[in-house]
Amino acid sequence: MPALSVDKFHPGLSVDCVILGFHQNELKALLLKMKKMDKWALPGGFVEKEEDVDKAAVRVLWERTGLKDIFLQQFYLFGDVGREEEGHVEGLVQKGVIDRELAGWLKQRFVTVGYYALVEYSQVEAPQPDYLSESCEWRSLSALPELMLDHGRILEKAHATLKRQLNYQPIGLNLLPRRFTMPELQALYETLLGQKLDRRNFQRKMMGYGILIRTGERRTGGAHKSPWLYEFDEEKYRQSLAGGLNAGW
Amino acid sequence: MPALSVDKFHPGLSVDCVILGFHQNELKALLLKMKKMDKWALPGGFVEKEEDVDKAAVRVLWERTGLKDIFLQQFYLFGDVGREEEGHVEGLVQKGVIDRELAGWLKQRFVTVGYYALVEYSQVEAPQPDYLSESCEWRSLSALPELMLDHGRILEKAHATLKRQLNYQPIGLNLLPRRFTMPELQALYETLLGQKLDRRNFQRKMMGYGILIRTGERRTGGAHKSPWLYEFDEEKYRQSLAGGLNAGW
DNA sequence: CTTTATTGCGTCAAAGTGACACATTAAGTT
DNA sequence: AACTTAATGTGTCACTTTGACGCAATAAAG
């Protein structure tokens, strides 16, 4: 167990990352399985004393999973007392997962900042767990394992935030391969929303946003009629992110 | 100067409240004028070690302004290093505003959680400044005084968040008197958006949401035709808050 | 060559939106 | 008391967006 010098960190402040990917028509989150425990956890960690919180989130994600330079979006601060579970830290000590110094540090009251990111599933190959974890895996949101502390609630809140953003912001640029078909994009939306959409109206609405480019090519190999391949117009995609899709007023 | 026992607080964590009101067709924020300084500040303070952050915000607002039981909405954590200004704390000490103990506490690195609330201007009568401040006043957003630290940025972010929410959530229940006219509601929207709206289309759209009740009465006394008085249907208002106005999908 | 399931494109009615005309009314003016 | 003024209430009309669905084109399998 490497020594973790604890006094370089900002006291009582942590970050937790909800990393969402999309694969086989399922929304998945990247989770760490804690050593010697049956519970799973979001990749999270501490903020250094002279480090921006946003940057800490990026660093922590890298340290704990190997994912590099992910664009993380802050979505909520979880600041209720009682986030901690009675006996949680003692359990870790007794199982030899953490040492006494770290345990003392962990026993203080913590608030945590939630961040989320949407990443392309296939670009994350064999994420590397750190020394606290025995594995790092994609787990389907529809069949989540038991999560430690309030990580279940954090994940839920990230999902809800995402669903709301779908109404006024484009989504998919970091979640899909560079080129994708309309049915694939639709499947992403349907999964995020938990709701079926009409194929034809979806295409019309999506094209109306003007953020998609139809490449001349089709995806072949599957059965039946081969669909067109699309890319995002990154310039216009970013404009839509900033300005919103349905300005409303 | 009352002694402020500093070790009951969570280290390096503060809350700041953006309180917005609407008066004479202007959006105003409640600000504190710091003693012996030309700068103004948002009402803010520290979180106790065994206190929910949300509850701390409510308490702090009460302690610093006298406003009671305001519903505060968390909107962002400001966590960059360099939020602090060089020499800011020393200045306070030299002017005798704070003592050495508080100064030492303040010199650590802080992150702050931003909260906002919309309140009815007229219900806030003579807000009371605390011992750190020499006054507590409504200041128009269009002519803000100089704010200390990054409070200007915090206020700006609250305003932007509000503007975005206007697209999918009803607004006005806590910002207007219980009964109000359609032109008054429209003026609120126009001020928040910084944009003129068509009178007739505004009314149609607003009524379409089904959250307004037209009382049988009119507002008399003004010149010209007297407008109807409306109330919010609080039941439906809350439903719209939860479900969103323009579901989108 | 036929079958089958999927994709692309189009239609149509209903609802929503933006721009505007016109009638109504309360207070001030003459 | 009649007139003027400016704000409010209601309605219209064309255009766009949305929801629901029909039909033809196509890639692979039998």
Side-chain angles (χ1 to χ4, degrees):
Chain A
M1 177 186 336
L4 184 60
S5 170
V6 124
D7 52 353
K8 71 175 173 185
F9 292 121
H10 192 106
L13 179 65
S14 60
V15 294
D16 284 298
C17 303
V18 177
I19 308 301
L20 297 173
F22 184 65
H23 186 55
Q24 290 177 339
N25 282 3
E26 282 201 306
L27 200 58
K28 303 189 182 226
L30 200 58
L31 298 178
L32 295 165
K33 172 104 188 285
M34 302 298 290
K35 271 185 186 162
K36 304 185 190 177
M37 292 180 71
D38 288 333
K39 293 193 179 174
W40 295 67
L42 296 172
F46 308 120
V47 180
E48 292 175 11
K49 276 180 175 162
E50 294 299 325
E51 180 182 36
D52 295 345
V53 179
D54 289 353
K55 290 199 175 125
V58 174
R59 172 185 54 76
V60 160
L61 180 63
W62 170 69
E63 286 176 358
R64 299 211 58 185
T65 70
L67 267 67
K68 290 194 80 167
D69 294 326
I70 301 294
F71 177 75
L72 287 160
Q73 177 82 31
Q74 183 201 124
F75 66 94
Y76 200 70
L77 173 108
F78 298 85
D80 281 4
V81 293
R83 287 189 53 238
E84 284 82 22
E85 275 163 24
E86 201 65 40
H88 174 69
V89 177
E90 275 86 355
L92 292 173
V93 174
Q94 280 167 16
K95 286 170 183 155
V97 182
I98 60 175
D99 61 22
R100 291 248 150 254
E101 187 194 7
L102 184 52
W105 164 262
L106 283 173
K107 274 182 186 165
Q108 64 179 315
R109 179 261 180 110
F110 270 87
V111 301
T112 196
V113 189
Y115 284 82
Y116 76 80
L118 305 177
V119 303
E120 190 189 337
Y121 181 88
S122 64
Q123 278 191 352
V124 181
E125 23 183 285
Q128 289 304 312
D130 66 346
Y131 75 97
L132 279 169
S133 323
E134 65 184 42
S135 69
C136 178
E137 297 174 20
W138 289 107
R139 301 290 309 237
S140 171
L141 284 209
S142 57
L144 283 176
E146 194 178 355
L147 296 174
M148 71 176 212
L149 302 177
D150 59 348
H151 286 197
R153 198 188 146 222
I154 295 176
L155 210 163
E156 181 49 45
K157 181 109 184 170
H159 187 199
T161 302
L162 190 56
K163 233 162 125 172
R164 210 160 33 93
Q165 294 205 335
L166 217 51
N167 285 321
Y168 56 94
Q169 286 193 339
I171 270 181
L173 180 52
N174 303 306
L175 209 43
L176 291 171
R178 196 173 61 85
R179 317 179 112 198
F180 51 89
T181 68
M182 195 59 77
E184 285 165 357
L185 182 60
Q186 182 178 342
L188 169 61
Y189 269 72
E190 288 179 343
T191 304
L192 284 167
L193 292 166
Q195 173 187 155
K196 280 278 165 198
L197 300 172
D198 183 280
R199 193 169 54 83
R200 297 151 277 190
N201 295 335
F202 178 81
Q203 158 139 349
R204 184 178 49 188
K205 190 162 182 173
M206 219 60 201
M207 291 309 285
Y209 292 149
I211 57 172
L212 291 179
I213 300 169
R214 175 147 84 185
T215 71
E217 300 171 46
R218 296 161 175 275
R219 162 148 310 159
T220 59
H224 317 304
K225 183 166 182 174
S226 53
W228 292 107
L229 285 168
Y230 294 84
E231 294 175 355
F232 284 107
D233 182 331
E234 301 204 18
E235 173 74 18
K236 293 188 179 167
Y237 188 96
R238 261 186 290 275
Q239 288 172 8
S240 298
L241 267 183
L245 288 174
N246 304 311
W249 297 95
Chain B
M1 178 186 333
L4 185 61
S5 170
V6 124
D7 50 353
K8 70 175 175 187
F9 292 120
H10 192 105
L13 178 65
S14 60
V15 294
D16 284 298
C17 304
V18 178
I19 308 301
L20 297 174
F22 184 66
H23 186 57
Q24 291 178 336
N25 281 4
E26 283 202 304
L27 200 58
K28 303 188 180 228
L30 199 59
L31 298 178
L32 295 165
K33 172 106 189 285
M34 303 297 291
K35 272 186 185 163
K36 303 183 191 178
M37 290 181 73
D38 287 334
K39 293 194 179 173
W40 295 68
L42 295 171
F46 308 121
V47 180
E48 292 176 11
K49 276 180 176 162
E50 293 300 324
E51 179 183 37
D52 295 345
V53 180
D54 288 354
K55 291 200 175 122
V58 175
R59 173 185 55 76
V60 160
L61 180 62
W62 171 69
E63 287 176 357
R64 300 212 58 186
T65 69
L67 267 68
K68 289 195 80 166
D69 294 326
I70 301 294
F71 177 75
L72 288 160
Q73 177 82 29
Q74 183 201 124
F75 67 93
Y76 200 70
L77 174 107
F78 298 85
D80 281 4
V81 293
R83 286 190 53 238
E84 284 81 23
E85 274 164 25
E86 201 68 39
H88 174 68
V89 176
E90 276 86 356
L92 292 172
V93 174
Q94 279 166 17
K95 287 172 182 155
V97 182
I98 60 174
D99 62 21
R100 292 246 150 256
E101 186 192 8
L102 184 52
W105 164 261
L106 283 173
K107 274 182 186 164
Q108 63 180 317
R109 180 261 181 112
F110 270 87
V111 302
T112 197
V113 190
Y115 284 83
Y116 75 81
L118 305 176
V119 303
E120 189 190 335
Y121 181 87
S122 64
Q123 279 190 353
V124 181
E125 20 182 287
Q128 289 302 313
D130 67 345
Y131 76 95
L132 278 170
S133 322
E134 63 184 44
S135 68
C136 178
E137 296 173 20
W138 289 107
R139 300 292 308 238
S140 171
L141 284 210
S142 57
L144 283 175
E146 196 178 351
L147 296 174
M148 70 176 215
L149 301 177
D150 59 349
H151 287 198
R153 197 187 147 222
I154 296 176
L155 210 164
E156 183 47 46
K157 182 111 183 170
H159 188 200
T161 303
L162 190 57
K163 232 161 126 173
R164 211 162 28 97
Q165 294 205 335
L166 218 51
N167 284 323
Y168 55 94
Q169 285 192 342
I171 271 182
L173 180 52
N174 303 305
L175 208 45
L176 291 171
R178 195 173 62 85
R179 316 179 112 200
F180 50 89
T181 67
M182 194 60 77
E184 284 166 358
L185 182 61
Q186 182 178 341
L188 169 61
Y189 269 73
E190 288 180 343
T191 303
L192 284 167
L193 291 166
Q195 173 187 156
K196 280 279 165 198
L197 301 172
D198 184 279
R199 195 167 55 84
R200 298 150 280 191
N201 296 334
F202 178 81
Q203 158 139 344
R204 185 178 47 189
K205 190 161 182 173
M206 220 57 204
M207 291 307 287
Y209 292 150
I211 55 174
L212 290 179
I213 301 170
R214 175 147 85 185
T215 71
E217 301 170 44
R218 296 163 175 273
R219 162 150 309 158
T220 59
H224 317 304
K225 182 166 183 176
S226 54
W228 292 107
L229 284 168
Y230 294 83
E231 294 175 357
F232 284 109
D233 182 331
E234 300 205 19
E235 172 75 19
K236 293 187 179 164
Y237 188 96
R238 262 186 292 274
Q239 286 172 9
S240 297
L241 267 183
L245 288 173
N246 305 312
W249 295 96

